[in-house]
Amino acid sequence: VQLVESGGGSVQAGGSLRLSCALSGFTFDDYVVAWFRQAPGKGRERVSWRCSSEDETFNRESVKGRFTISFDSAGSMVYLQMVDLKPEDTADYYCTAGSYPTWALCDSLNEDDLDYWGKGTLVTVSS
């Protein structure tokens, strides 16, 4: 399984970016695909994610209404559209995926549940 992110960069507050993640070799029937981020000096946190068992996407509270996770029809690309970016969104953003049982609550996802990670792409938001 390989995940390769692209689309990071530097923007001013209020700007927009779209991150892309190319997935290959991913064949799980029950799975989760997510974007995480890690700001300098802080731990990794989930941002936006979707489980195959639930027909909805999830976002952390601080990005609701501003970030959207989406997929292409082939399931080989994952996107994170980010609008109204804030300086506190500055971080390395990681695309991640893994198997995820249907009995588990998608909203309970944590990074230990994820098996595969991209190398990350840096997003810098200046005030």
Side-chain angles (χ1 to χ4, degrees):
V1 177
Q2 285 192 319
L3 302 95
V4 180
E5 305 98 334
S6 61
S10 298
V11 297
Q12 291 192 321
S16 301
L17 281 174
R18 188 176 83 153
L19 306 183
S20 299
C21 173
L23 294 89
S24 60
F26 192 75
T27 59
F28 298 110
D29 290 329
D30 304 315
Y31 59 87
V32 57
V33 180
W35 288 94
F36 274 63
R37 68 185 180 186
Q38 186 167 22
K42 296 188 177 181
R44 198 173 289 183
E45 61 185 21
R46 61 187 189 179
V47 178
S48 299
W49 64 100
R50 183 178 184 272
C51 300
S52 60
S53 61
E54 300 190 34
D55 191 24
E56 64 178 306
T57 59
F58 294 82
N59 295 280
R60 67 181 300 106
E61 192 64 35
S62 62
V63 308
K64 284 182 179 178
R66 300 189 298 120
F67 289 15
T68 305
I69 187 172
S70 63
F71 304 81
D72 72 338
S73 58
S76 61
M77 294 294 296
V78 185
Y79 305 101
L80 184 67
Q81 179 68 50
M82 307 183 291
V83 301
D84 191 22
L85 282 159
K86 305 177 186 299
E88 52 264 40
D89 295 318
T90 295
D92 285 304
Y93 283 72
Y94 298 89
C95 179
T96 178
S99 62
Y100 201 71
T102 55
W103 52 261
L105 293 175
C106 195
D107 199 24
S108 299
L109 178 72
N110 65 69
E111 66 175 300
D112 293 336
D113 296 320
L114 294 145
D115 306 302
Y116 304 101
W117 294 79
K119 293 183 178 180
T121 185
L122 178 62
V123 172
T124 303
V125 185
S126 58
S127 58

